[in-house]
Amino acid sequence: MTMAAVETIAALRQRLDEARHRQARIGFVPTMGALHEGHARLIARARSECDRVVASIFVNPLQFDRPDDLARYPRTLADDLALCESLGVDDVFVPAAAEMYPSTPQCTVEVGELADHLCGKYRPGHFRGVATVVLKLLQIVQPHAAYFGEKDAQQLAIVRRLVTDFSVPVAIVGVPTVREPDGLAMSSRNRRLDPCERKLATALFRALSAAAEAIRAGQTDAAEVKRLAQATVPPPSKGDAAASPASPTLRIEYLEVVDPDTMQPVAQIEGPVIVAGALWVGSTRLIDNIRV
Ligand code: PAF
């Protein structure tokens, strides 16, 4: 079928009601646009498992803790729509902010301990915004399955819990992170990196890989794992090229070893864990994780 870009909740509901009437299995890929190969995998997975594939492109203001980050978030709608069409998406929901939030929402989703660490600790209100918009999008689309990237491990854990806590009848499918050949996790924010920053950005994957290697080799002390990982990222210092104004600085925001279900830091590694990190490369913040 020909892909449609749909701007209103009412029009999307009408199209999907017809599909539901025909017993179509609906797969949903929520995005904020600036689509890349990681999103393409989510869409391909949805396409392979569902009759009808819906994507959304909405830069959700509620989940940005810094106005400059919202303003600078890459917007590439024409390219995104072309990619969706080439991947066989049936409906792309592209609401304006006023369609999603005609007035300031009075009811939002408060996330508990799952949001206490990692990104939740450094981006106040971020997961309230994510959980609120994801719940709203799930209500609008009412998909049978929704697809999320494992790169955002804390988001995925929160979305899984969100649908349990609110009894939303949808299967949440996590899809593995897609990486560039040098290991950098694909992200819409990578577009903001200049060539020099792009080279330095691999530091995060190197640090996480060092941590994962130490754990696989038998290290069970999380503090030691973090120390080893941190040591792979040289701190910018006076005279260091990375500290000069001409060259971007690298700053680890967090490096943590957490339980994959609760997202709480662990001191002793006794079972599966996620090693997660956030790295500032100049003015761009990147996140990544490895499950061990
Ligand atoms: O991962 C994202 O792109 C966003 O957080 C999401 C899930 C589309 C909600 O705005």
Side-chain angles (χ1 to χ4, degrees), residues 29-33 39 56 58-60 63-64 73 126-127 129-131 133-134 137 147-149 152 155 159 188:
V29 181
T31 82
M32 296 206 299
H39 295 109
S56 63
F58 177 60
V59 183
N60 172 35
Q63 71 188 72
F64 285 81
Y73 199 83
H126 169 64
F127 286 118
V130 170
V133 81
V134 168
L137 288 167
Y147 298 79
F148 293 83
D152 299 301
Q155 169 172 284
V159 169
S188 302

